[in-house]
Amino acid sequence: MTTDPNIRTNWTREEAEKIYNLPFMDLLFQAQTVHRTYFDPNQVQRSKLLSIKTGGCAEDCAYCSQSARNGSKLSASKMIEVQRVIAQARKAKEGGATRYCMGAAWTSPKERDMAALTAMVEGVKDLGMEACMTLGMLEDDQVIRLRDAGLDYYNHNIDTSERYYSEIITTRTFADRIDTLNRVRESGIKVCAGGIVGMGEQQMDRIDMLVTLATLEGHPDSVPVNMLIPIPDTPLADVEPLDPIEFVRTVALARILMPKSHVRLSAGRTDMSDELQAMCFFAGANSIFVGETLLTADNPEEDKDSALFNKLGLIAMGVGEDGSICEKKLVSDTARDLSQAVAQKNPPIPNLTRSAV
């Protein structure tokens, strides 16, 4: 368990709702103050995501083009070759990515897949990058084999609140997802877990989703916040778009509840203006996916991201001299002084950052 008194795992829905519904400027101020305590506010991690097995998934996730059950016409493919994955990872590193994420569309890996999966992890690690995978549910022995191969992160999103979950997915339970997260965390692999907003859920569902993550025994090291990309022929193809301010509130709440986690601005960036993305970075997002696609959905191209970074004065987190990823760099003197100054003039909202008595 963490010894940092500011890192809580006992958040309540009432506390989180109070934070979420603060006056917008107060919410952003609080989120940015928390962000500057643990991160350099001008650094953003760049990760790359590759679909290593696309389509034909047996799950019925209503948002997903890869489901064989929800009406999508995306055809299934076999898992791609190990060497092709490594070649793509090398290209991603040359483009500035420090973490390489590999995703497969299935309920869980089969025994025949494990040798190739561990070889992919080992190959990515040999490049000096962090390795991340998202493969669905895992058994204990699969977790151990991936850990021993050097897997740094395992992504397994909870997608939404427990209440709304059955409206989106019926082929696996919310508890199944939590069990997988616990299994991964207990093995020593870092957890990457977030969700999707804009799926027709209520405000309280977004709050409850983040409270679930923030009250796990250990906070996820990465928290992807995805804006739904409506995919033709899926059940959510015609869902009403989420108000952008509600999205920023979600990012800010994630930052405040989970101060040390990387909050990743994930799917949906293609349709976000520069101004909306900038607001999300100010609210505490400090990780993005780079490249033209996210599994099967579009993503901003490299030059567009570079232009945005230049416009905002952001820089990419890099790789240290020892080959390690410089994720949690010390904040600059200016950022630290500013954080201390605003904390003195505007102390944090009571009971939002310290354990309740």
Side-chain angles (χ1 to χ4, degrees):
M1 297 293 290
T2 179
T3 57
D4 188 333
N6 293 320
I7 307 302
R8 292 179 50 188
T9 58
N10 63 343
W11 292 100
T12 67
R13 171 195 279 188
E14 291 72 25
E15 288 176 307
E17 184 178 12
K18 179 181 178 181
I19 298 169
Y20 188 97
N21 288 309
L22 284 170
F24 190 62
M25 300 308 170
D26 292 343
L27 175 63
L28 291 188
F29 182 84
Q30 181 72 13
Q32 179 65 193
T33 302
V34 171
H35 187 57
R36 285 173 179 267
T37 302
Y38 295 97
F39 293 98
D40 186 318
N42 297 311
Q43 290 191 341
V44 176
Q45 181 193 62
R46 293 159 60 95
S47 302
K48 185 66 182 288
L49 177 62
L50 175 70
S51 178
I52 60 174
K53 191 275 175 187
T54 304
C57 182
E59 304 294 335
D60 67 352
C61 307
Y63 53 80
C64 188
S65 64
Q66 302 197 65
S67 171
R69 296 172 176 243
N70 67 14
S72 174
K73 297 180 176 60
L74 182 68
S75 59
S77 68
K78 295 181 179 179
M79 187 164 65
I80 64 178
E81 301 83 1
V82 173
Q83 291 308 312
R84 181 181 166 193
V85 173
I86 305 309
Q88 290 293 322
R90 183 177 294 107
K91 182 178 178 181
K93 181 179 180 180
E94 293 170 353
T98 56
R99 182 182 301 176
Y100 199 66
C101 306
M102 297 157 275
W106 52 37
T107 300
S108 59
K110 295 181 173 59
E111 175 57 33
R112 65 172 181 265
D113 304 314
M114 292 304 299
L117 293 173
T118 55
M120 291 175 191
V121 173
E122 291 167 351
V124 170
K125 294 294 292 180
D126 286 344
L127 293 174
M129 302 180 75
E130 288 184 326
C132 175
M133 282 188 158
T134 177
L135 310 170
M137 294 183 289
L138 295 176
E139 300 296 334
D140 287 338
D141 65 313
Q142 294 173 328
V143 173
I144 298 305
R145 291 173 68 177
L146 291 170
R147 181 200 66 189
D148 291 348
L151 187 67
D152 296 290
Y153 286 83
Y154 192 76
N155 167 259
H156 199 61
N157 291 336
I158 61 173
D159 288 342
T160 188
S161 70
E162 185 172 11
R163 182 201 73 84
Y164 195 62
Y165 186 85
S166 61
E167 298 293 321
I168 303 299
I169 303 161
T170 66
T171 47
R172 76 173 82 171
T173 68
F174 192 82
D176 288 335
R177 292 187 182 261
I178 299 300
D179 288 345
T180 296
L181 292 178
N182 289 336
R183 188 173 289 121
V184 168
R185 177 184 51 77
E186 290 168 1
S187 77
I189 298 174
K190 296 177 182 178
V191 170
C192 174
I196 307 170
V197 298
M199 297 192 294
E201 76 281 350
Q202 297 177 12
Q203 182 187 94
M204 190 54 66
D205 294 309
R206 295 188 285 277
I207 294 171
D208 282 349
M209 176 186 73
L210 293 177
V211 170
T212 295
L213 295 172
T215 54
L216 294 173
E217 186 172 336
H219 293 166
D221 293 88
S222 287
V223 181
V225 182
N226 298 273
M227 177 80 87
L228 176 72
I229 301 176
I231 304 294
D233 301 315
T234 63
L236 297 180
D238 299 317
V239 71
E240 183 177 350
L242 182 69
D243 183 282
I245 297 300
E246 288 291 299
F247 185 78
V248 179
R249 285 185 179 276
T250 304
V251 171
L253 181 61
R255 168 53 63 218
I256 293 170
L257 297 189
M258 294 168 278
K260 286 188 174 182
S261 302
H262 281 80
V263 177
R264 180 176 299 132
L265 193 56
S266 297
R269 286 200 304 121
T270 300
D271 294 328
M272 294 181 191
S273 67
D274 285 355
E275 292 81 3
L276 176 55
Q277 291 187 67
M279 202 175 296
C280 289
F281 291 132
F282 189 78
N286 64 340
S287 179
I288 62 170
F289 279 122
V290 296
E292 297 179 4
T293 58
L294 297 181
L295 296 179
T296 61
D298 290 338
N299 195 50
E301 297 181 358
E302 302 279 354
D303 56 351
K304 186 174 181 180
D305 283 334
S306 295
L308 178 59
F309 273 40
N310 289 335
K311 188 185 299 186
L312 299 179
L314 300 176
I315 59 175
M317 293 182 185
V319 179
E321 295 181 358
D322 61 353
S324 62
I325 308 302
C326 300
E327 291 188 317
K328 299 187 178 180
K329 289 177 178 286
L330 294 175
V331 299
S332 65
D333 291 341
T334 301
R336 183 173 58 251
D337 292 345
L338 176 59
S339 180
Q340 292 172 349
V342 297
Q344 291 172 359
K345 294 181 180 180
N346 299 275
I349 299 168
N351 293 328
L352 297 189
T353 58
R354 292 186 181 274
S355 300
V357 176

